Amino acid sequence: MSARLMRPLLAVALAGVLAATATGCGGEGDASDSGKTTLVVKTFSQFGYEDLYKEYEAAHPDIDIKEENISQMGDYLPKLQQWMATGHGAGDVVALEEGIITQFMEKPDQFVNLLDHGAGSLKGEYLDWKWKQALTRDGKQLVGLGTDVGAQGMCYRTDLFKKAGLPTDREKVGALWPTWEEYLATGEKFKDAKTGAHFFDSAGSIYQNILMQQGDHTYYDTDNKLVIDSNPGVKAAWDQTVEMIDAGLSGNIMPWSPQWNAGFKKGTFATIPCPSWMLGTIEKQSGPENAGKWDVAKVPGNGAVRGGSFLAVPKQSGHQKEAAELVKFLTSAKGQTTAFKSKNNFPSALKAIDDPAVKGFTNKYFNDAPVGKIFGESVKGLEPVYLGPKNTPIGDRVGNALAAIEQGKLAPDEAWDRAVDDAERVAN
Amino acid sequence: MAIDMRPGPAGKSSESTDTGGPGPAKERGRLLSRLDAAASPYLFISPFFLIFAVFGLFPLGYTAWVSLHKWELAGKGDFIGLDNYTELFGDPDFWNAVVNTLGMLVLATVPQLLIALVLASLLNQRLRGLTLLRMGVLIPIVTSVAAVGIVFSQIFDRDAGMVNGLLDLVGIAPVDWRADKWSSWIAISSMVNWRWTGYNALIYLAAMQSIPKELYEAAVIDGAGRIRQFWSITVPNIRPAVIFTVIVSTIAGMQLFTEPLIFGQGAYAISGGTLRQFQTVSMYMFEKAFRDFDLGYGSAVAWVIFLIIAFLMLVNYLFTRRAK
């Protein structure tokens, strides 16, 4: 071929190749090379499913499971939103935290209806309210199956308590604070002992815990009307938290920040309200050198849910049937028991709650605390709390307003007005 | 293969080189060759425009389309015209973010370019180990933004930070760097300055090296000192480079995102501090779109950022043209 002919052809080919590389990189990986179906499971934080995957793969030789984990829920949420909005990347199974699922319940058509995959017969196996959280109002679609519930405990450092002259035995520690007022009084004693540590990490985590004990709804009523300003429960939780900030008990350390992580290692705070799922985080952040220094006591006030998740199958999954089966397996009573033993995520399946393996489980890292029993007791007193559609963004703003008080940048009244104002703007 | 890209008269060269084949083939060859001359330059540059259309123009247009809708969780909602924009103009959080961004833009760009200018003129001298020093100023740019953010966040840490440690030595009470506007702006600007000063210095250096030596020699004869030479010869002669760095820094400054986000820390760092002390406009866009799930509003923010950058460029252009 002559050079003259080659030139334009070459140009066309070059342009074509470049255009193809620019646009054609969206091929979805479907591990068909081994003939196996790959199911991608998207999670955040710690779900404790490693052993369950192995077991499931052994029983289903044609299935390969891949978990993609994002450690912070705050990072997971925007990703999830992106996957759902673009219709790509959500994989086959996604984890939905209770604050997230409320947003998706508004538009459930992005998820596979698990009732179509025989989940209906499982209804009696779960805590009734947990089941209802993932069920549309007309009762026709089940978006997800429940995994854990955020049963409450109060984690504390025995070494710091000892230093402050407080009891270290978990029964006696629990007896120190039947109510939040008495928790505050204990905190003042702790502060007077001058151990160099703060009594708790941040006002936000205390507030969240008290808030969830204040009745069946928080910022929204069950008709999705914003009631942050008129719900006395919200104001009560706020006021109680402000009292503790005023008493100088807070370490003013943002949860999930590097300071917070370091605080676990160095023991810069003595207590932290710990939903069951947080035990895994505390153990990971405190590290092996602090084994046995943490312990778990009863939480002040009544039992309350805080956190807890669901597994759902996005409509965009290419293997909806297989994914639904995997969800049923992972959320079964047996699956939840295994996850609890691995990371202490407290089960929402009744059989698992009553399973002796759960009830009698002690956590070695936490001074052999009988966490199965402690969380089990807390879960029995649980009152389900309704969270409205924009619960998470509103909660973020209220948390920020509290932190501004801790930083001494706003007076409590100003901070409250700001939180209410922000919430109203987010909700409309 | 050497390719002649000049769109000259196509037939001429082919006639002179062709050693006479059959008639129709010759005809075809001529046609192809004419097509080649007319079209291949466009084909050669087309990849850029194709890629730009796919990754530049299309998202721009699509964002504009989304911003005209109430576009929430499950995708497209109702068409609401310019409602998102009218709401945006009355949104105090947005204006707060604009002020923060512009404030940090000034704090980061002005010292950065001034230091770069001085640094470049020093590197333009005859020094020992010059190549090493010139390479040295480039090292910060190799560091990832995230790494810079993490290290500086520790340096400006409230409880265990190095800066507070040094302040303590001279008897100044520790500063909660994240809690106030001024302190957080300084911390974040210092990250930007540290990372980009060397990069700008090298651009200035390259420009300085093209200044004729005779100018300096003449200046020396006229008795001008080093500082006088710097302001009267160096700076005016590298004007195009200065304009370039100002424009690039302005665009980068308007898109500031990673540094303040990492500095913010915690689960809700996207708000840029408890009272939005250091939330930039791109953080606000992300917060509205991906934390509050209001994609239409987020798109409107994105477009207004684009317009602000365009406006700043216009001001820049008018300013530099007048100064000519």
Side-chain angles (χ1 to χ4, degrees):
Chain A
M1 200 187 282
S2 76
R4 247 179 308 114
L5 241 160
M6 245 175 86
R7 253 195 286 164
L9 288 180
L10 210 89
V12 173
L14 188 70
V17 165
L18 278 166
T21 47
T23 52
C25 45
E28 291 287 302
D30 194 351
S32 48
D33 47 328
S34 57
K36 283 186 179 183
T37 306
T38 303
L39 296 179
V40 178
V41 182
K42 302 274 186 174
T43 61
F44 55 87
S45 196
Q46 315 254 345
F47 273 74
Y49 284 162
E50 292 74 14
D51 295 339
L52 289 168
Y53 294 147
K54 274 183 212 137
E55 193 185 326
Y56 195 78
E57 282 170 343
H60 299 78
D62 54 332
I63 302 271
D64 228 4
I65 304 172
K66 210 170 110 204
E67 178 173 307
E68 287 171 13
N69 177 273
I70 293 176
S71 67
Q72 279 194 29
M73 198 178 79
D75 297 333
Y76 175 80
L77 185 54
K79 281 272 182 209
L80 176 70
Q81 158 67 1
Q82 209 174 316
W83 300 327
M84 299 312 288
T86 56
H88 286 284
D92 302 293
V93 176
V94 291
L96 302 174
E97 200 259 352
E98 66 167 9
I100 299 177
I101 201 170
T102 52
Q103 297 169 328
F104 284 103
M105 291 310 288
E106 298 288 292
K107 288 177 177 167
D109 46 318
Q110 292 179 313
F111 295 95
V112 170
N113 185 356
L114 294 174
L115 294 177
D116 296 343
H117 292 275
S121 61
L122 303 172
K123 186 175 184 300
E125 299 193 6
Y126 296 88
L127 286 167
D128 187 46
W129 55 267
K130 182 84 178 174
W131 177 268
K132 280 186 187 145
Q133 274 185 317
L135 191 69
T136 51
R137 282 176 182 226
D138 57 10
K140 284 186 183 145
Q141 189 186 344
L142 188 70
V143 170
L145 278 172
T147 58
D148 60 317
V149 288
Q152 289 287 0
M154 179 65 84
C155 291
Y156 66 99
R157 292 271 301 226
T158 50
D159 55 334
L160 291 173
F161 268 51
K162 196 173 174 190
K163 225 169 152 187
L166 292 166
T168 56
D169 175 73
R170 66 184 74 89
E171 290 294 328
K172 285 183 190 150
V173 169
L176 285 176
W177 50 56
T179 66
W180 286 101
E181 283 83 21
E182 280 152 302
Y183 175 80
L184 173 70
T186 310
E188 284 181 318
K189 264 185 231 158
F190 180 86
K191 191 183 155 209
D192 292 341
K194 295 202 188 342
T195 56
H198 298 279
F199 193 52
F200 56 81
D201 61 328
S202 76
S205 61
I206 298 282
Y207 165 78
Q208 191 59 26
N209 203 102
I210 304 177
L211 178 71
M212 296 306 271
Q213 298 174 339
Q214 300 297 311
D216 63 351
H217 66 289
T218 59
Y219 307 123
Y220 285 91
D221 66 13
T222 45
D223 295 324
N224 283 346
K225 198 172 144 271
L226 187 73
V227 291
I228 178 171
D229 209 13
S230 56
N231 180 359
V234 176
K235 193 71 204 298
W238 172 279
D239 288 340
Q240 206 143 35
T241 310
V242 169
E243 248 182 83
M244 297 201 211
I245 298 173
D246 286 344
L249 304 186
S250 173
N252 181 14
I253 298 169
M254 278 283 182
W256 309 101
S257 72
Q259 262 178 1
W260 193 66
N261 296 342
F264 283 115
K265 272 213 166 59
K266 291 193 238 156
T268 52
F269 45 86
T271 66
I272 179 169
C274 50
S276 41
W277 48 262
M278 203 189 264
L279 297 193
T281 303
I282 294 178
E283 180 174 343
K284 189 175 149 207
Q285 299 300 351
S286 307
E289 67 268 34
N290 287 312
K293 285 186 188 160
W294 283 100
D295 207 326
V296 193
K298 195 187 139 310
V299 75
N302 307 315
V305 201
R306 189 178 143 205
S309 298
F310 299 83
L311 294 183
V313 180
K315 273 251 173 76
Q316 54 181 274
S317 160
H319 315 285
Q320 299 184 0
K321 193 170 155 281
E322 293 85 350
E325 288 307 312
L326 178 63
V327 165
K328 282 199 274 182
F329 169 75
L330 291 173
T331 58
S332 66
K334 191 173 150 288
Q336 295 195 15
T337 308
T338 311
F340 173 76
K341 283 195 221 160
S342 164
K343 299 287 177 207
N344 291 143
N345 296 330
F346 200 81
S348 65
L350 296 168
K351 257 192 220 154
I353 296 173
D354 290 331
D355 190 325
V358 172
K359 266 189 167 165
F361 186 78
T362 59
N363 190 317
K364 210 170 172 193
Y365 189 85
F366 288 80
N367 228 352
D368 288 320
V371 289
K373 183 170 156 275
I374 295 171
F375 290 129
E377 276 168 10
S378 144
V379 94
K380 276 178 201 151
L382 281 185
E383 291 288 334
V385 180
Y386 177 77
L387 306 168
K390 300 238 165 169
N391 173 72
T392 305
I394 293 174
D396 288 339
R397 283 158 172 87
V398 176
N400 260 350
L402 278 168
I405 305 177
E406 288 184 284
Q407 289 176 333
K409 296 299 161 197
L410 283 186
D413 292 348
E414 291 171 320
W416 172 253
D417 289 345
R418 191 182 164 98
V420 171
D421 183 52
D422 274 356
E424 276 162 2
R425 272 192 295 132
V426 173
N428 77 41
Chain B
M1 180 172 61
I3 299 174
D4 181 13
M5 299 277 274
R6 280 170 299 177
K12 208 173 155 193
S13 65
S14 76
E15 258 162 352
S16 59
T17 49
D18 217 328
T19 47
K26 200 171 170 187
E27 228 3 75
R28 206 184 60 193
R30 193 177 298 168
L31 194 76
L32 265 175
S33 148
R34 198 173 301 152
L35 193 76
D36 170 20
S40 47
Y42 292 101
L43 277 170
F44 280 119
I45 53 166
S46 67
F48 168 76
F49 288 99
L50 286 174
I51 292 171
F52 178 69
V54 172
F55 293 101
L57 275 184
F58 172 72
L60 207 63
Y62 194 65
T63 308
W65 169 246
V66 174
S67 74
L68 301 176
H69 291 79
K70 188 171 175 58
W71 196 297
E72 292 192 340
L73 207 59
K76 198 174 152 211
D78 303 330
F79 182 84
I80 52 167
L82 293 174
D83 280 9
N84 280 327
Y85 291 92
T86 36
E87 197 188 330
L88 184 64
F89 283 106
D91 181 348
D93 290 342
F94 173 71
W95 292 113
N96 168 63
V98 169
V99 170
N100 290 344
T101 311
L102 293 177
M104 283 186 263
L105 177 68
V106 171
L107 275 186
T109 310
V110 175
Q112 185 188 130
L113 298 186
L114 286 179
I115 297 170
L117 206 54
V118 174
L119 205 57
S121 75
L122 291 178
L123 285 173
N124 203 19
Q125 315 290 321
R126 254 173 252 132
L127 295 169
R128 250 179 240 275
L130 200 57
T131 318
L132 202 71
L133 289 172
R134 285 177 184 171
M135 297 255 295
V137 298
L138 206 62
I139 286 178
I141 191 80
V142 184
T143 336
S144 87
V145 197
V148 176
I150 290 166
V151 171
F152 273 74
S153 292
Q154 284 174 3
I155 292 176
F156 286 101
D157 192 87
R158 180 194 62 198
D159 298 331
M162 197 173 88
V163 179
N164 276 349
L166 291 175
L167 289 179
D168 190 44
L169 286 181
V170 291
I172 298 173
V175 176
D176 190 349
W177 292 94
R178 287 177 186 84
D180 281 302
K181 265 195 198 296
W182 67 270
S183 54
S184 55
W185 287 12
I186 289 176
I188 292 161
S189 304
S190 68
M191 297 181 209
V192 183
N193 284 325
W194 182 81
R195 189 148 185 269
W196 291 101
T197 303
Y199 169 82
N200 288 311
L202 278 201
I203 291 178
Y204 291 157
L205 179 62
M208 283 175 191
Q209 296 202 320
S210 67
I211 302 174
K213 291 251 177 337
E214 294 80 17
L215 287 177
Y216 290 103
E217 285 161 10
V220 172
I221 292 169
D222 287 347
R226 282 215 183 274
I227 292 169
R228 181 67 203 270
Q229 287 175 29
F230 178 71
W231 288 113
S232 299
I233 300 174
T234 311
V235 174
N237 274 291
I238 60 164
R239 256 177 49 102
V242 175
I243 294 170
F244 171 76
T245 54
V246 168
I247 290 174
V248 170
S249 308
T250 309
I251 294 176
M254 284 306 295
Q255 296 175 335
L256 191 64
F257 182 80
T258 315
E259 289 92 341
L261 184 70
I262 293 177
F263 182 67
Q265 303 192 341
Y268 196 52
I270 197 72
S271 69
T274 50
L275 298 172
R276 303 176 183 276
Q277 299 91 317
F278 51 92
Q279 185 178 44
T280 62
V281 275
S282 20
M283 288 166 82
Y284 190 60
M285 172 188 77
F286 191 88
E287 182 186 8
K288 291 313 282 186
F290 296 108
R291 290 300 293 253
D292 297 354
F293 296 123
D294 198 342
L295 290 163
Y297 198 78
S299 301
V301 177
W303 253 90
V304 174
I305 295 176
F306 174 71
L307 294 178
I308 293 176
I309 293 180
F311 172 76
L312 286 178
M313 290 305 105
L314 186 74
V315 171
N316 230 312
Y317 171 74
L318 292 176
F319 186 73
T320 49
R321 208 180 53 162
R322 234 193 59 189
K324 235 171 214 175

